[in-house]
Amino acid sequence: MTVDQLNQNGQLRHLITLADLSRQDIERIIDRAHHYSTPIGQPPPRDTILKGHTVANLFFEASTRTRASFELAAKRLSADVLNLDVNMSSRAKGESLLDTIYTLQAMQVDIFVVRDASTGVPMRIADHVLPHVSVLNAGESDASHPTQGLLDLMTIQRHKGDVGNICVAIVGDIKHSRVARSATEALTKFDVGELRLVGPQELLPEDTMPGTQVYSDLDKGIRDADVIMALRIQKERFAQLGEIPDPQEYFRRFGLTEERIGVAKPDAIIMHPGPMNRGVEIDGALADGSRSVIQEQVTNGLAIRMAVLAIVHEHVLATRGAQS
Ligand code: CP
């Protein structure tokens, strides 16, 4: 890290990774997210605290959930929101990333939400913005997806309470997954009972993730698990197209079905960060079944993004005036 995520008063300024946040920092975000949670069917929560603030969503990689939820989160907090159409922006004419940031900063953007396929981009932006400006990582290559890690932890806690006595199995393309990395960072900070990374040998991480156990056998990896999280095969991150597993063969070996999860605890919950490839990493009936909390993850994601925006706005508010 070249830029601290917390400012000199200990307030969250940037959210780039969960790795160097404390358990208390994470608890504060999740507590705030509970404040912004209302059941589906009720009017969505609203707040005016970001009135007069501007949030820019810069998605240099595809997204449905993260992009839509950051946009709705900022609007429900009364911010001015800019969703830059990256393909129609002057980056297509050769403008650099930082010149794009400086241009938007000159239009008084306070909070940048950034997704990029390259490692280090959110931190690079954080390193160059004005002191009052915040940068939020909305998905960085295979390295980090901190708001996903937070929403996954929040969802697990809502169903299982304290994670200290439970077994979580993350199944699939662990090697290319920023979701697995951020979930691991979040769960290990909360002393998860057992955390298993399960997948074919070639899709397991080359480096060891502290606090995890690795399984290349699905039945052993999910046996007695309380939580099973399926991951998509991240085709876009393979160096060689020929290395991408055959979907039918993959489903036969590692696809989650009602039958295959019979070895897990009877009250095990099924998670998936989305987007799903039904019939590859998960059977549609399981994804839509009574044990699935996949749609709840989406709902919690919006609450988490409202919470993060609300918390970093305290830094913007405290620092913005001090510069003039
Ligand atoms: N889980 C997730 O990041 O989904 P999107 O790619 O649709 O944002």
Side-chain angles (χ1 to χ4, degrees):
M1 296 284 289
T2 53
V3 176
D4 286 335
Q5 299 192 101
L6 304 186
N7 68 15
Q8 58 193 15
N9 298 322
Q11 293 169 311
L12 188 71
R13 175 186 173 190
H14 303 299
L15 182 58
I16 310 292
T17 171
L18 299 179
D20 64 356
L21 290 189
S22 68
R23 183 169 168 152
Q24 289 70 31
D25 295 327
I26 292 176
E27 277 169 347
R28 186 163 175 242
I29 297 169
I30 293 178
D31 284 351
R32 189 73 170 252
H34 284 293
H35 171 73
Y36 288 126
S37 291
T38 52
I40 301 289
Q42 289 189 14
R46 293 189 189 278
D47 203 329
T48 55
I49 58 165
L50 258 66
K51 200 167 173 53
H53 293 69
T54 304
V55 177
N57 288 317
L58 309 182
F59 280 71
F60 300 109
E61 202 184 35
S63 169
T64 295
R65 277 146 286 271
T66 314
R67 181 179 167 152
S69 60
F70 263 116
E71 178 180 349
L72 284 173
K75 286 179 173 168
R76 287 179 185 170
L77 295 173
S78 311
D80 294 330
V81 182
L82 168 73
N83 297 306
L84 189 73
D85 183 343
V86 171
N87 295 325
M88 291 298 287
S89 77
S90 287
R91 287 211 75 195
K93 296 186 239 170
E95 187 164 48
S96 73
L97 172 71
L98 287 181
D99 280 335
T100 305
I101 298 297
Y102 296 147
T103 300
L104 298 177
Q105 200 173 235
M107 298 179 194
Q108 294 173 292
V109 168
D110 304 294
I111 301 172
F112 287 101
V113 177
V114 181
R115 170 171 287 197
D116 200 277
S118 300
T119 304
V121 167
M123 179 51 76
R124 184 151 176 262
I125 296 171
D127 214 1
H128 287 84
V129 291
L130 290 168
H132 70 279
V133 172
S134 290
V135 178
L136 306 180
N137 180 352
E140 174 192 3
S141 178
D142 59 5
S144 182
H145 195 351
T147 54
Q148 180 74 44
L150 292 168
L151 78 87
D152 287 337
L153 176 61
M154 177 179 175
T155 305
I156 293 170
Q157 286 176 329
R158 278 193 152 176
H159 284 269
K160 301 293 173 187
D162 179 8
V163 301
N165 295 315
I166 65 165
C167 171
V168 178
I170 306 179
V171 181
D173 180 5
I174 311 286
K175 181 177 173 181
H176 299 105
S177 177
R178 56 193 176 207
V179 173
R181 283 177 209 285
S182 288
T184 297
E185 287 164 0
L187 285 162
T188 52
K189 265 187 217 299
F190 282 72
D191 299 319
V192 64
E194 200 178 343
L195 180 52
R196 302 177 186 166
L197 305 179
V198 188
Q201 199 66 49
E202 62 278 15
L203 297 185
L204 290 170
E206 282 152 14
D207 52 331
T208 47
M209 293 196 211
T212 65
Q213 295 170 315
V214 170
Y215 289 77
S216 55
D217 180 293
L218 179 63
D219 293 336
K220 288 181 184 155
I222 63 173
R223 186 171 299 279
D224 296 324
D226 299 277
V227 176
I228 304 174
M229 184 191 300
L231 298 178
R232 179 177 69 89
I233 299 171
Q234 310 262 306
K235 287 182 196 163
E236 65 275 26
R237 299 195 207 291
F238 280 71
Q240 308 280 342
L241 288 182
E243 292 173 3
I244 299 173
D246 172 70
Q248 287 175 338
E249 171 64 6
Y250 183 86
F251 184 67
R252 192 185 65 74
R253 288 179 62 208
F254 283 92
L256 297 179
T257 63
E258 289 283 0
E259 190 185 357
R260 290 301 291 270
I261 66 156
V263 295
K265 294 250 181 78
D267 62 349
I269 57 169
I270 306 301
M271 301 175 70
H272 193 307
M276 281 186 279
N277 288 131
R278 291 168 184 253
V280 181
E281 70 272 10
I282 190 165
D283 185 47
L286 183 63
D288 300 333
S290 60
R291 296 213 255 173
S292 169
V293 297
I294 294 170
Q295 297 309 320
E296 197 181 318
Q297 286 174 268
V298 176
T299 305
N300 291 340
L302 183 42
I304 284 286
R305 286 158 188 141
M306 287 181 80
V308 171
L309 287 167
I311 288 172
V312 299
H313 124 278
E314 292 166 12
H315 165 83
V316 175
L317 205 59
T319 321
R320 196 162 57 173
Q323 289 175 88
S324 53

